[in-house]
Amino acid sequence: MRFVWVLPLLLFHQLCYATVYRWVDETGKVQYSDKPPVGQSKSLMELDKSARIRKGNEAILSTEEKQALEEKKRAEQELRRADKALLQSFSKPEEVDLLRDRQIEAVDAGMQTNVLRRATVQKRLDVQQSQLNKLSNNQRAVSAELLAEIAVTKKELADIDSAIATQQRAVIAIKRES
């Protein structure tokens, strides 16, 4: 007697979890079956018991779309990983702001140092230029050494200006990240 009840239950169980396939045939009609079509169909999809797509649509995507989708998934995963690490590193949101402010202060301190260095180097260049002008006005020979010092000083000023610009971009980047 038990066997009579077990057999229908097993058959019902198989029907509930059978895989259903959906595809569009050559004539454009949507077909459903428990077996995939014999030919290769680009729109073949495997459905679950609620008629939701479980597998499929991969064949419809181009390789560029697949790569873009994979890159998006990787970026989302990296963002989740970074968020998790951030949550493990800090106990309060204020700590994140405090760290950002400290980073900005450190870059600002370096920038102030470079501004002071630039003022000092600019004064040195002004002295060198005045020496050059005096020699030129008195129609005296200008030494190659003075010209070389002026060139080195101008290069140093350009390097300091470049460092200041880099530090300004770093401050903007730190502010943008938070």
Side-chain angles (χ1 to χ4, degrees):
M1 184 70 178
R2 288 185 183 179
F3 182 71
V4 173
W5 288 105
V6 172
L7 186 61
L9 284 175
L10 285 174
L11 290 174
F12 180 72
H13 177 68
Q14 285 288 46
L15 289 175
C16 287
Y17 291 101
T19 302
V20 176
Y21 296 95
R22 176 188 184 269
W23 71 94
V24 178
D25 64 9
E26 298 82 29
T27 60
K29 293 183 181 178
V30 177
Q31 301 289 328
Y32 293 92
S33 175
D34 60 343
K35 297 176 184 154
V38 177
Q40 191 70 358
S41 177
K42 286 187 177 180
S43 61
L44 178 65
M45 292 177 242
E46 188 177 312
L47 306 176
D48 63 7
K49 66 180 182 178
S50 301
R52 291 180 296 212
I53 298 172
R54 187 171 18 170
K55 291 182 184 173
N57 287 344
E58 293 92 10
I60 297 173
L61 298 176
S62 68
T63 55
E64 293 85 18
E65 291 171 329
K66 288 179 184 178
Q67 289 174 347
L69 187 60
E70 287 178 20
E71 184 62 34
K72 183 179 177 184
K73 285 180 183 178
R74 257 185 262 136
E76 289 173 356
Q77 185 178 16
E78 181 63 26
L79 183 61
R80 279 194 301 276
R81 189 195 62 74
D83 287 345
K84 184 178 178 182
L86 189 63
L87 289 172
Q88 291 174 349
S89 301
F90 300 103
S91 60
K92 298 178 187 175
E94 294 83 23
E95 291 176 354
V96 176
D97 294 336
L98 182 63
L99 177 65
R100 181 202 61 223
D101 293 342
R102 286 182 182 163
Q103 288 174 336
I104 291 173
E105 286 174 4
V107 174
D108 280 340
M111 202 174 349
Q112 288 174 349
T113 300
N114 282 332
V115 167
L116 293 174
R117 274 185 54 217
R118 189 186 192 296
T120 303
V121 172
Q122 183 64 48
K123 286 179 187 176
R124 184 178 350 130
L125 180 63
D126 292 342
V127 168
Q128 291 168 345
Q129 289 287 355
S130 72
Q131 287 175 351
L132 179 66
N133 290 338
K134 282 181 187 176
L135 291 173
S136 296
N137 288 343
N138 293 335
Q139 297 178 350
R140 298 182 83 195
V142 178
S143 69
E145 189 176 296
L146 178 61
L147 293 175
E149 287 177 10
I150 290 174
V152 168
T153 305
K154 286 181 179 180
K155 169 103 173 67
E156 189 176 352
L157 275 176
D159 291 345
I160 293 171
D161 289 339
S162 174
I164 290 172
T166 301
Q167 290 167 326
Q168 288 170 340
R169 286 191 299 272
V171 168
I172 291 169
I174 291 169
K175 289 179 180 178
R176 193 177 325 141
E177 286 177 5
S178 57

